[in-house]
Amino acid sequence: MQTLIVFCHLRWDFVFQRPQHLLTRLAKYYKVVFVEEPVYEEGEARMVMSHPAPNLTVCQPHTPVQAHGFHDDQIPLLQPLVAALAPEGEEVLVWFYTPMALPLLQALHPSLVIYDCMDELSAFKNPPKQLLQRETALLNIADLVFTGGPSLYEAKRSRHDNAHCFPSSVDAVHFEQALDRSNGHPLHTAIARPRLGFFGVIDERFDAELIADIADAHPEWQVVLVGPVVKIDPASLPQRQNVHYLGQQSYKALPQFLAGWDVCLLPFALNEATRFISPTKVLEYMAAELPIVSTAIRDVEQPYGDIVAVGHEHNGFICHCEAALAQTPAQTAAMAAAMRAVVARTSWDATADRMRELIGQTPPGGKAARLAGTGGTPKLVGASAAAKVNPLRGSASGQSFGSIVIGGGPTGLSTAYHVGADNLLLERNETVGGWCRSIEQNGFTFDHAGHIMFSNDPYVLELYDKLLGDNQHWQMREAWVRSKGVYTRYPFQGALYGLPPEVIKECIVGAIEARYGDSGSSLACSSMEVEDCCADGSAEAAKASPEARAAQTESFEDFIYKVWGKGIAQHFAIPYNRKLWTVPLSEMETSWLGGRVPLPDLSEIIEGALRPVPRPMGPNARFGYPRRGGFQALMNGFLPLIRGKIEVNAEVAQVLPAEHVVMLADGRRFTYGDLVSTMPLPELVKLIGEAAPPQVREAARGLRHISIRCVNIGLARSDVSDKHWIYYPEDSIFHRIFVQGNASPECNAPGGFGFTCEISYSPWKPLPLEGDALIERCIADAIKVGFMRADDQVLVANQVDMPVAYVVYDHQRARNVATVREWLAQHDILLAGRYSEWEYYNSDHAFLAGKRAAEQVARHRSRVAPKVS
């Protein structure tokens, strides 16, 4: 689904009119992002977002600049905010209601530029002085132009060869509610009849003197005016006992006002501001089948002059009102029939559909580089084949930065955010995010393996709020294990209920033996507390009770047997972890598992074997996920906050530590004061080449990792599972299913449900299948384990590959990492994040690692900065 970014001079929550009608309908086919004019607010510029309709986001910039509208003074602050709205990797359509926002197009990479000229804004009161100039520029750049009524179309058609007239339309069903005349609005209760009503904006286009003349000519008539007063002094409006100003009312309530009126008014002044208007309310009045009296507005008189009474001067207008109130039943019936015929010929639905057809038929043009997408293949969420944030293409080679960050994953983004200005972030992919990127296909969103939001750190929790705002969905974890043909809750050892009796017996006996057998001293590991933010289940190997007698373990395999006992080890821990890690568990050490590790709490194991356990409690049992945009949305949240440069599609080809230079594949060179690398440590050393000592290169080659292949599947039903992720220790090709569709319902296409099969592989355990054969095997195994039905229709099936996914904690890892890190530090190269530090980090740890790296850069800058005497 393409993103449609709209710049408008009107507030979304203002009078519901042409933009709201069209965009709520187009939101069925596009991700609509509606950008309002900025609002003054002290402090850093920020974007406040709301979601008034499905698939539609309203963005209200808040800036410390007091200039009104899309003023030149606002543009520098708005450009980075706007740049972050364009999802990288998608074709972006840009739609203007006001030419004043044209400079913001530079922050985007549109495939199509559309100008919907609904009014002649230059004729309105106090227009910006640059308006006409910018409209000329917009007409030169736009690929497609829509106009309001015929008069405005005639004024613009000669200025663009792809202009189309779209007069006001109507939501007939909504306004036909007024045909029930008993459904009047409560505000009418104290207002006598006859009532002559108007709803709309009361501004310089409103003929206030006409209202005064009507009220004075017929004191017995009640004139009801519904709408906001803008750009004119309310005190200038006529004040009479029979004139009632009811203010702005909701669009939903408008039919109730119509139901209580006897005549509908179009009391527009005849001036430059109304020369080209095509009032939306004409057809809305007609849907209510009420008499209409208008001033001589061209786009009312010419098409509807046989139905709408037109007064060319005040007395004539009043006479038409008198005639409308004196209509015979036959006249009213004939009028209503004519109105129904007009209303039947147009609708906002039809208008939006025709506009969408024209968008689809218009070839890309203008001055921006635009690439057509392929509709059937998965696309990176928020990516564009030509997308660049703060692009440096074309800049002179040799540019220097205080710091450069390699890698735009969670650690790199966090570093760039915390380090501030004078920094360059280089990301080799089309979009930021690293393995926290998301892809979209046919309405389904999938992550690169399963990701969740969880942290015990208050700073990270605050950061979630800053990055996502209200785009967060928090829920209790539903994690399960599928073994022996049944589901048991995660963690396995605490929820044995439902397994075969002999399995339960072996697990309990094994735990007792581990506790009271011939073990020695208590188990210990040297690291942080056990967490499971990645939800891969391995950390649960370390969960048990605080009392303990056990021996120091030499390997992960030894650890599992001595902590859990042989029953739990044989039925879950050993087969699952062998499946996940692919290497012999005896070759892995245990420092990554956490701090002092106790033995199993037997009472909890026995309790979980006797009866079903309730939902898990505690901080690790509740997790978050973005409501919209997949996990990519969390990554994209950094973009408007980063003050330095960001460039995507930037492949680092060589690092020259002695020269403090980074070279890109396209030949450009950048000099740095500090280099923060988040890329896989062996890859960084390869880019350094022979400049690194032999022992450093050898240590880098000794670092081992496993890879993950994700097979993403979207089904044509929505009731697939109520779980979030499931571990499979037995003979399926996948070790885990991440139930993407339950992370957020908006990851699913309408009526569909998506999930991801995760398959680990390595040189020691290659993938047994590739391509379509791998997808078919995942589907077959998903049916075999009961996750899918044999008759399920597969709507989407694709794969994403993570060549470096989990680092392997073998017995040489710590020594190898230290060797490489110490040498790099001598050349102002810092390592940050899972793949550079070769640590078992989760996304929250990555955010903190980026913050630490930025603090190191700041300390180094302060040491090397010249002193001022």
Side-chain angles (χ1 to χ4, degrees):
M1 185 177 284
Q2 291 177 288
T3 296
L4 174 61
I5 298 179
V6 181
F7 296 99
C8 192
H9 56 292
L10 301 172
R11 302 284 176 205
W12 183 267
D13 60 0
F14 191 56
V15 173
F16 201 94
Q17 51 189 303
R18 181 186 181 99
Q20 290 90 337
H21 279 294
L22 291 173
L23 296 173
T24 50
R25 287 160 173 82
L26 291 173
K28 297 176 183 177
Y29 310 101
Y30 305 101
K31 298 175 185 176
V32 177
V33 180
F34 184 92
V35 183
E36 296 183 348
E37 293 181 336
V39 172
Y40 174 76
E41 180 184 80
E42 293 184 356
E44 290 189 5
R46 65 190 183 103
M47 196 72 86
V48 176
M49 299 187 181
S50 60
H51 306 279
N55 219 29
L56 191 148
T57 300
V58 173
C59 301
Q60 186 180 83
H62 287 223
T63 76
V65 176
Q66 294 185 333
H68 177 71
F70 294 108
H71 190 276
D72 285 349
D73 293 346
Q74 298 278 9
I75 299 303
L77 294 177
L78 296 180
Q79 281 177 329
L81 300 180
V82 168
L85 299 178
E88 301 166 48
E90 293 182 12
E91 294 182 351
V92 178
L93 307 177
V94 180
W95 180 304
F96 290 93
Y97 275 107
T98 171
M100 290 303 296
L102 182 59
L104 296 175
L105 188 64
Q106 297 176 13
L108 304 170
H109 298 272
S111 62
L112 213 65
V113 175
I114 304 155
Y115 177 30
D116 187 8
C117 183
M118 63 180 282
D119 287 305
E120 184 60 75
L121 296 179
S122 63
F124 282 21
K125 188 175 183 179
N126 300 322
K129 60 183 181 180
Q130 308 101 319
L131 183 60
L132 289 175
Q133 179 185 0
R134 287 193 184 167
E135 185 183 60
T136 298
L138 177 55
L139 288 168
N140 288 334
I141 290 174
D143 302 294
L144 184 60
V145 174
F146 304 136
T147 74
S151 58
L152 190 56
Y153 172 69
E154 291 299 324
K156 304 296 180 185
R157 64 182 301 185
S158 62
R159 301 177 64 188
H160 200 281
D161 58 4
N162 195 18
H164 303 267
C165 182
F166 285 100
S168 296
S169 300
V170 65
D171 182 353
V173 173
H174 180 66
F175 286 96
E176 284 170 357
Q177 296 178 79
L179 297 176
D180 178 5
R181 305 298 194 219
S182 65
N183 187 30
H185 197 279
L187 289 176
H188 286 149
T189 303
I191 301 175
R193 302 190 85 138
R195 304 187 192 113
L196 291 76
F198 165 86
F199 58 67
V201 181
I202 301 173
D203 56 16
E204 73 272 22
R205 296 170 296 175
F206 188 79
D207 192 341
E209 293 182 5
L210 173 59
I211 296 300
D213 287 346
I214 294 171
D216 292 339
H218 287 276
E220 75 280 13
W221 293 355
Q222 306 300 314
V223 180
V224 180
L225 303 174
V226 175
V229 178
V230 299
K231 294 196 289 185
I232 61 173
D233 184 359
S236 67
L237 297 173
Q239 304 298 316
R240 306 287 192 276
Q241 286 189 345
N242 60 335
V243 177
H244 309 273
Y245 297 96
L246 302 186
Q248 183 174 343
Q249 301 293 328
S250 70
Y251 178 74
K252 181 180 179 181
L254 296 183
Q256 289 184 284
F257 287 98
L258 288 172
W261 294 348
D262 301 290
V263 178
C264 295
L265 305 178
L266 293 171
F268 289 106
L270 302 181
N271 55 32
E272 281 299 307
T274 61
R275 180 180 174 190
F276 299 109
I277 65 170
S278 174
T280 304
K281 58 190 63 59
V282 179
L283 294 174
E284 295 168 348
Y285 289 171
M286 285 191 186
E289 298 180 9
L290 289 167
I292 305 170
V293 181
S294 175
T295 53
I297 297 299
R298 178 183 172 186
D299 284 354
V300 175
E301 185 173 19
Q302 288 192 358
Y304 308 126
D306 58 337
I307 303 173
V308 176
V310 176
H312 289 265
E313 35 77 33
H314 289 187
N315 286 337
F317 192 99
I318 295 170
C319 289
H320 284 301
C321 291
E322 293 169 345
L325 290 170
Q327 274 186 174
T328 66
Q331 290 173 321
T332 299
M335 176 201 70
M339 288 179 170
R340 284 194 295 270
V342 170
V343 169
R345 292 196 296 266
T346 184
S347 70
W348 286 115
D349 290 334
T351 298
D353 287 344
R354 178 57 183 150
M355 286 179 168
R356 188 167 64 92
E357 288 177 10
L358 289 169
I359 291 171
Q361 295 167 6
T362 302
K367 298 180 180 178
R370 298 165 189 170
L371 294 177
T374 53
T377 57
K379 299 181 293 183
L380 291 170
V381 174
S384 168
K388 295 177 289 292
V389 185
N390 296 329
L392 295 170
R393 307 290 188 200
S395 299
S397 184
Q399 192 168 354
S400 180
F401 292 89
S403 55
I404 293 177
V405 178
I406 300 177
T411 304
L413 290 166
S414 176
T415 305
Y417 163 62
H418 288 100
V419 82
D422 194 18
N423 181 74
L424 172 63
L425 174 62
L426 298 171
E427 168 55 48
R428 67 181 177 183
N429 292 296
E430 296 174 297
T431 179
V432 298
W435 291 145
C436 291
R437 299 197 307 277
S438 305
I439 64 171
E440 182 183 278
Q441 184 176 0
N442 298 346
F444 290 94
T445 299
F446 300 102
D447 296 331
H448 284 63
H451 296 287
I452 59 173
M453 293 157 49
F454 165 77
S455 184
N456 287 319
D457 193 295
Y459 182 83
V460 174
L461 296 176
E462 290 178 8
L463 192 58
Y464 289 152
D465 291 336
K466 181 176 290 188
L467 298 176
L468 290 174
D470 63 356
N471 187 24
Q472 299 181 60
H473 175 49
W474 289 81
Q475 55 189 315
M476 297 303 293
R477 180 189 72 203
E478 287 292 343
W480 294 73
V481 177
R482 174 78 178 187
S483 64
K484 316 302 179 186
V486 298
Y487 286 108
T488 55
R489 276 198 183 275
Y490 166 89
F492 179 87
Q493 76 275 13
L496 301 175
Y497 182 84
L499 290 167
E502 62 274 14
V503 173
I504 295 176
K505 176 183 175 182
E506 290 175 15
C507 290
I508 293 177
V509 170
I512 293 172
E513 289 176 345
R515 182 177 182 128
Y516 297 108
D518 56 352
S519 338
S521 59
S522 62
L523 291 167
C525 301
S526 58
S527 187
M528 62 190 73
E529 283 190 6
V530 181
E531 291 182 0
D532 189 30
C533 307
C534 274
D536 61 29
S538 299
E540 281 300 332
K543 303 283 189 184
S545 80
E547 304 119 3
R549 292 184 301 106
Q552 182 75 28
T553 59
E554 298 297 331
S555 72
F556 186 27
E557 183 172 15
D558 185 29
F559 174 91
I560 288 173
Y561 278 106
K562 291 187 176 181
V563 170
W564 278 4
K566 64 182 179 182
I568 294 172
Q570 291 173 357
H571 290 296
F572 174 72
I574 294 295
Y576 177 77
N577 282 288
R578 281 178 180 167
K579 196 174 183 182
L580 170 66
W581 293 106
T582 77
V583 301
L585 302 184
S586 61
E587 297 180 9
M588 295 179 63
E589 48 96 353
T590 57
S591 65
W592 58 285
L593 286 173
R596 184 175 180 80
V597 179
L599 285 178
D601 187 320
L602 292 180
S603 63
E604 290 181 0
I605 292 177
I606 294 171
E607 181 73 18
L610 293 175
R611 59 180 58 86
V613 297
R615 278 191 171 193
M617 301 300 291
N620 194 31
R622 184 172 179 266
F623 73 95
Y625 190 86
R627 290 185 184 276
R628 300 168 299 280
F631 215 71
Q632 179 81 52
L634 182 62
M635 302 298 106
N636 288 350
F638 278 106
L639 297 180
L641 306 177
I642 292 174
R643 290 180 289 162
K645 301 286 187 181
I646 306 173
E647 189 166 4
V648 297
N649 292 318
E651 181 79 26
V652 176
Q654 191 174 8
V655 175
L656 305 175
E659 294 88 345
H660 279 46
V661 167
V662 172
M663 292 184 61
L664 300 190
D666 60 13
R668 288 177 298 151
R669 299 162 59 97
F670 299 108
T671 304
Y672 60 84
D674 292 279
L675 180 66
V676 179
S677 175
T678 71
M679 71 188 307
L681 191 52
E683 291 185 24
L684 173 64
V685 175
K686 285 182 182 178
L687 295 180
I688 294 172
E690 293 188 1
Q695 68 272 20
V696 170
R697 300 199 302 272
E698 182 180 358
R701 286 193 296 268
L703 296 172
R704 293 199 286 176
H705 67 273
I706 64 169
S707 308
I708 297 290
R709 180 70 57 84
C710 296
V711 174
N712 302 311
I713 298 171
L715 302 180
R717 64 182 174 97
S718 58
D719 59 341
V720 175
S721 175
D722 60 355
K723 299 171 175 59
H724 293 117
W725 55 88
I726 307 163
Y727 305 108
Y728 294 91
E730 296 175 344
D731 61 351
S732 61
I733 192 172
F734 42 79
H735 62 271
R736 184 175 77 147
I737 285 180
F738 182 73
V739 191
Q740 184 83 51
N742 284 337
S744 170
E746 297 202 32
C747 290
N748 296 319
F753 193 91
F755 63 95
T756 299
C757 301
E758 299 176 21
I759 308 152
S760 60
Y761 68 97
S762 69
W764 313 280
K765 179 194 151 188
L767 277 175
L769 300 163
E770 285 282 0
D772 291 342
L774 182 62
I775 293 174
E776 291 170 4
R777 172 66 182 277
C778 285
I779 292 173
D781 281 4
I783 294 171
K784 180 177 68 174
V785 300
F787 191 85
M788 282 179 60
R789 298 195 305 239
D791 62 348
D792 272 329
Q793 179 186 359
V794 176
L795 299 177
V796 163
N798 60 57
Q799 301 180 44
V800 294
D801 193 47
M802 302 168 64
V804 182
Y806 291 113
V807 303
V808 174
Y809 275 69
D810 60 24
H811 299 287
Q812 296 77 41
R813 183 203 66 88
R815 182 178 65 252
N816 287 334
V817 171
T819 298
V820 179
R821 182 195 292 270
E822 289 168 8
W823 182 81
L824 292 173
Q826 300 170 22
H827 298 276
D828 300 320
I829 300 177
L830 304 175
L831 304 179
R834 172 185 283 203
Y835 300 116
S836 257
E837 296 182 69
W838 218 246
E839 291 279 1
Y840 184 26
Y841 279 167
N842 307 299
S843 59
D844 64 326
H845 299 146
F847 291 162
L848 294 174
K851 182 174 182 289
R852 290 194 299 270
E855 291 166 349
Q856 286 181 269
V857 170
R859 287 193 294 270
H860 182 252
R861 287 182 181 179
S862 66
R863 289 196 302 269
V864 302
K867 295 182 180 179
V868 179
S869 58

